[in-house]
Amino acid sequence: DKGVGFTGVADFLEKEAIIRSARMFKIYGIVSGSAHLVKPGYYNLSANESAVAILEKLVLGPEDITIKIIEGATMGDIDLQLFAAGVTSSGALKNFPISLLKKDYLFLKTAKSLEGFLFPDTYKFIRHSDPELVIRKMLDNFGSKANLDYEKLIIASLIEKEAPDNQRDRELISGIIARRLRLGMGLQIDATVLYAKCRGILISCVNSKLTRDDFSITSLYNTYIHRGLPPTPIGNPGLESILAAQNPIKSDYLYYLTDPRTGKTIFSKTFEDHDAQRARYINY
């Protein structure tokens, strides 16, 4: 624990039968100049290790846990991922009061939650980390790599779910979303309905398919019922989707779908054409 002196560490290790002699451990720590370098945290230690090896571990500090957050993962997904890895407790991100962070991160000023700001990347944490330190690490990363307003961030999260790995398609979809908003049309984006259905934890229903009844779900995230953007992002977008939200391509397109066989995005200018494309590429 933090604040425990070297004597306390040595006595604890002897009590747990990790070392044979706290006295000899303390002497070696003082002679080697390592006594004041021991770092708090969680360690895997064995009585089969030498006292020298154990002290070296305690000086190096707790072993890092590598966490890779994928593009589009939701706050709920990340919460479960960190909990499963032993980094934080269950619900630590979801339940953290965002108000404690707004004074240090101006981009959180109008945010309703941390959704969208937990920048996808590879991170290193230690077991049982302070949730605030974990969150701040992700927010610092977001702040250094992304510079966009909240509305654009929501759009970026939609693009992340809707577009394949093609930047031009992302930017065309960005333009379609912007055009639909200008015209007052419903966005009618399936990913928002799935977010509502799965209560923001997509990993829990990764194989779930939307049914006809799902499109009647009463939720502000159901963009088939409610016009405009959903109230928050529906995930944490990667840099490519963020750039697409900032650089929409203007076009005459109003509709698009993804060919489930090839992943190719099919764009249409009219609903009639879109309906024909659906009959061609998607079996209902």
Side-chain angles (χ1 to χ4, degrees):
D1 290 329
K2 287 182 179 179
V4 175
F6 187 67
T7 295
V9 171
D11 291 342
F12 173 77
L13 292 176
E14 183 184 69
K15 180 183 177 182
E16 295 296 321
I18 300 297
I19 59 174
R20 284 181 292 180
S21 170
R23 179 173 175 274
M24 295 304 298
F25 191 77
K26 285 183 274 189
I27 291 173
Y28 178 74
I30 294 169
V31 171
S32 65
S34 303
H36 67 290
L37 300 177
V38 170
K39 298 175 179 64
Y42 286 79
Y43 296 85
N44 289 318
L45 302 175
S46 169
N48 294 325
E49 298 175 279
S50 69
V52 173
I54 289 173
L55 184 55
E56 286 177 350
K57 278 189 175 182
L58 298 179
V59 170
L60 284 173
E63 186 177 348
D64 286 334
I65 297 173
T66 300
I67 300 291
K68 182 178 181 180
I69 296 173
I70 63 171
E71 288 85 352
T74 68
M75 177 171 60
D77 294 336
I78 298 169
D79 215 337
L80 284 177
Q81 185 180 3
L82 293 174
F83 172 61
V87 175
T88 55
S89 59
S90 178
L93 271 61
K94 180 181 177 181
N95 298 324
F96 192 86
I98 192 173
S99 58
L100 297 181
L101 302 164
K102 289 193 173 187
K103 62 181 177 62
D104 294 327
Y105 300 97
L106 295 180
F107 51 76
L108 292 178
K109 183 177 180 180
T110 59
K112 300 176 178 65
S113 77
L114 292 171
E115 190 76 276
F117 298 98
L118 305 175
F119 195 78
D121 208 337
T122 299
Y123 297 90
K124 289 185 181 297
F125 301 111
I126 60 173
R127 290 185 64 208
H128 301 277
S129 293
D130 182 337
E132 183 170 351
L133 296 180
V134 171
I135 293 168
R136 285 182 178 274
K137 196 168 189 176
M138 296 182 190
L139 293 180
D140 289 342
N141 200 9
F142 177 90
S144 67
K145 294 179 179 177
N147 182 22
L148 72 172
D149 61 37
Y150 196 49
E151 182 174 294
K152 291 289 187 183
L153 183 61
I154 295 175
I155 292 173
S157 75
L158 303 180
I159 295 168
E160 187 67 61
K161 299 295 185 183
E162 293 289 286
D165 297 330
N166 183 301
Q167 192 61 16
R168 179 171 173 80
D169 284 356
R170 286 191 182 102
E171 292 171 0
L172 281 168
I173 291 174
S174 179
I176 290 173
I177 292 173
R179 189 175 181 213
R180 279 179 163 259
L181 290 172
R182 284 197 307 271
L183 294 173
M185 296 176 63
L187 293 181
Q188 297 187 344
I189 292 177
D190 290 6
T192 65
V193 180
L194 188 63
Y195 186 86
K197 178 180 180 177
C198 300
R199 300 180 183 274
I201 306 177
L202 301 185
I203 197 172
S204 66
C205 52
V206 65
N207 295 317
S208 179
K209 292 184 178 180
L210 292 173
T211 66
R212 191 177 298 275
D213 289 342
D214 290 334
F215 292 96
S216 300
I217 290 174
T218 302
S219 169
L220 292 177
Y221 290 94
N222 186 348
T223 54
Y224 280 83
I225 294 176
H226 296 278
R227 294 178 184 266
L229 293 170
T232 72
I234 60 168
N236 294 275
L239 189 57
E240 289 80 6
S241 294
I242 287 173
L243 292 173
Q246 294 173 309
N247 299 283
I249 293 178
K250 291 183 179 180
S251 71
D252 294 330
Y253 297 130
L254 273 173
Y255 305 91
Y256 61 91
L257 59 83
T258 301
D259 181 347
R261 292 167 296 178
T262 66
K264 180 181 178 182
T265 306
I266 311 298
F267 296 94
S268 301
K269 296 179 181 179
T270 66
F271 178 76
E272 290 74 21
D273 183 37
H274 178 62
D275 206 33
Q277 299 289 13
R278 282 196 301 180
R280 178 181 178 184
Y281 290 100
I282 301 176
N283 294 320
Y284 283 92

